[in-house]
Amino acid sequence: MTSAKSVTRSAPSTVQATTISSSLLTVQTSGRGFTDLTSEAAKFIAEANARDGALTLFIRHTSASLTIQENADPSVLVDLSTALSRLAPENAGWTHDTEGPDDMPAHVKTMLTGASLQVPVLNGKLALGTWQAIYLIEHRSRPHHREVVLQFVGSNQ
């Protein structure tokens, strides 16, 4: 095990969580792929007058998911789609195929990527890194209406 050469940490800050704000975001997907939700999440934080706390995003579906990934190079999203397709291919002989050959692979991809995210909110801003964005991943081949619950818990301005 290697020890870190240089580690720094800011002093802890404490706020009283006095606010819970919630909103339902409806997203029309165009089929398989990534939809950037970062600006909608930021608008919600601004409208909630959020200061410090946490934003939770929860998708109300089992064949679409949420992730935080790089937003600078679009080839990252292409490669991630390729990786997910390799991990859960449509022609793997799935038992559950009532809704089509893309349904069970979509459930597996959702299990791998997740149904919820939590992002810290500091000084009224999402504490995402420079190249990070929040994405909804549509795993089905045809368009769908997807619902994402946004909930901020913390202090407001």
Side-chain angles (χ1 to χ4, degrees), residues 66-111:
L66 299 169
T67 192
I68 295 175
Q69 270 302 330
E70 180 177 327
N71 64 358
D73 184 349
S75 68
V76 169
L77 301 181
V78 172
D79 288 344
L80 289 171
S81 293
T82 300
L84 287 172
S85 293
R86 287 179 184 162
L87 290 169
E90 287 188 17
N91 60 353
W94 306 105
T95 303
H96 174 71
D97 63 0
T98 308
E99 295 180 50
D102 67 335
D103 190 38
M104 189 60 216
H107 293 302
V108 173
K109 293 170 187 176
T110 296
M111 181 179 68

Side-chain angles (χ1 to χ4, degrees), residues 4-60:
K5 302 273 186 220
S6 175
V7 176
T8 61
R9 180 178 56 79
S10 66
S13 63
T14 304
V15 299
Q16 179 118 12
T18 57
T19 301
I20 300 174
S21 297
S22 303
S23 183
L24 182 64
L25 178 62
T26 303
V27 180
Q28 174 64 53
T29 69
S30 56
R32 193 173 286 123
F34 290 75
T35 302
D36 189 338
L37 303 181
T38 311
S39 64
E40 288 298 327
K43 285 180 195 173
F44 168 71
I45 291 301
E47 290 172 6
N49 293 316
R51 172 120 179 102
D52 293 301
L55 171 65
T56 299
L57 298 94
F58 176 79
I59 190 162
R60 298 169 67 172

Side-chain angles (χ1 to χ4, degrees), residues 93-150:
W94 306 105
T95 303
H96 174 71
D97 63 0
T98 308
E99 295 180 50
D102 67 335
D103 190 38
M104 189 60 216
H107 293 302
V108 173
K109 293 170 187 176
T110 296
M111 181 179 68
L112 292 171
T113 51
S116 67
L117 299 172
Q118 189 168 41
V119 180
V121 176
L122 302 173
N123 294 316
K125 305 285 182 204
L126 296 170
L128 293 169
T130 302
W131 308 115
Q132 290 182 315
I134 301 167
Y135 292 99
L136 180 155
I137 314 172
E138 177 60 69
H139 300 298
R140 301 295 305 272
S141 58
R142 69 179 209 281
H144 282 81
H145 281 89
R146 300 301 190 176
E147 294 180 343
V148 178
V149 177
L150 305 172

